[in-house]
Amino acid sequence: MRSLRTEVRYQLWGRSVFLAVGGLTVSLLFAFTGSISNVTARLARLQVTEAQALGNGMTLADAMGHPSNVVVQGGQRMLDNPVRFDYEAAYFAYRALEAPYAVGTGLEMITFLVIPLLFFVYGCGTAVSDIRQRILKDRIVVEGPGPYIAAKVAAVVLVSFGATMLAALLSFGAAPLLKALFLPDLSRDFEYAVDDSGVGNPAVQVAFSAGVAVLFGLLGLFIGLVARSMLIPSLAAGGLLMLMPFTWSYDPRNILTAAGEGVFNYWGGFNPRPPLPVETTFGLGMLYGALVLVALISIAVWSRMSKFI
């Protein structure tokens, strides 16, 4: 606990905590900007589809009385009931900015595009911060290598969960306000009920996003402990995560995307799809098993390196 308190004080003093918290907060702006644009586009498309249907003698009531299916004709995918399809799409887009659905709307994009790289960089920074401040030897002598590493691991886990919870709370409170500010003239009374029984659980969504943050935060921490560098691992991670295409089914990005399909609703317009088939449960177990392996290797290396500090 003493090592953890010391680590938290140094992170607050060095403002590394604000990298994770501030990065997620700023990224929420992009998530909700896209969601607001999605509402506008969906409602506009619904109006056009309704007008076309009325011209053919079909009302919205008639369309809602029939299911909407995808029909394949000549190799092309066609909707047999586009009015109902667009109505449901507009309904879900509009509900995405209402609590508690707004939690998933805020987290769904940042979980896959922001959190992996952001928390990897944060974890690397946590690993090498004492080297940059030239206090590594003093902390190892006073605290011991075991408590020193344990404190850094605990700090990464706490910050990951704390930053994710803050992002969820901001999403919960800000989404209705943003809807009132930017969509005051686009309100619509959706008179026909839409089945949303499969809606995601906000608690599960927060836990999933926090788990992704912990995974990449600890990965960055362990790699940074061994490499004793932040720049090279961060550049390599950025290239692998953002530039390199998916290599195989058990690519971490493909596994997380597949797992996210059972967690998020994707009502806000962001809807990633796993390009490769994967067994999700086994893939998630493999991811965290690989993290444990990296942790054991890095701690073994560190226990030898700390003798020569």
Side-chain angles (χ1 to χ4, degrees), residues 210-229:
V212 175
V214 170
L215 170 65
F216 285 94
L218 291 181
L219 183 63
L221 172 69
F222 293 133
I223 291 178
L225 284 174
V226 175
R228 299 200 179 189
S229 169

Side-chain angles (χ1 to χ4, degrees), residues 15-221:
R15 297 182 176 85
S16 60
V17 172
F18 302 110
L19 169 67
V21 175
L24 287 192
T25 302
V26 171
S27 63
L28 287 177
L29 297 176
F30 298 96
F32 283 108
T33 298
S35 184
I36 291 171
S37 300
N38 184 54
V39 174
T40 305
R42 293 292 187 181
L43 289 175
R45 182 176 178 82
L46 176 60
Q47 291 176 353
V48 172
T49 307
E50 280 187 285
Q52 292 174 346
L54 284 174
N56 295 325
M58 176 182 286
T59 65
L60 179 60
D62 296 332
M64 296 303 294
H66 299 85
S68 177
N69 300 306
V70 178
V71 179
V72 179
Q73 292 183 350
Q76 293 184 342
R77 296 164 61 91
M78 302 177 62
L79 293 170
D80 63 355
N81 191 351
V83 179
R84 177 164 184 165
F85 179 86
D86 289 339
Y87 177 89
E88 292 180 348
Y91 172 87
F92 288 132
Y94 196 75
R95 295 293 296 275
L97 293 174
E98 296 178 353
Y101 311 115
V103 172
T105 303
L107 293 179
E108 60 191 17
M109 186 192 79
I110 66 177
T111 298
F112 301 99
L113 297 184
V114 178
I115 284 179
L117 183 57
L118 176 66
F119 278 87
F120 184 91
V121 173
Y122 163 72
C124 264
T126 300
V128 303
S129 59
D130 296 328
I131 298 175
R132 294 199 305 265
Q133 297 170 18
R134 298 183 179 181
I135 57 173
L136 177 61
K137 182 176 181 179
D138 295 335
R139 290 195 61 182
I140 293 298
V141 171
V142 173
E143 301 171 19
Y148 175 82
I149 295 177
K152 288 191 174 292
V153 169
V156 169
V157 173
L158 290 175
V159 170
S160 298
F161 274 94
T164 307
M165 280 296 301
L166 178 61
L169 291 174
L170 288 175
S171 300
F172 184 88
L177 177 62
L178 292 173
K179 186 174 70 172
L181 288 175
F182 295 101
L183 301 172
D185 301 326
L186 290 178
S187 60
R188 173 178 176 135
D189 182 18
F190 291 92
E191 59 271 28
Y192 298 99
V194 175
D195 182 18
D196 58 359
S197 57
V199 63
N201 188 329
V204 176
Q205 292 168 345
V206 173
F208 182 84
S209 299
V212 175
V214 170
L215 170 65
F216 285 94
L218 291 181
L219 183 63
L221 172 69

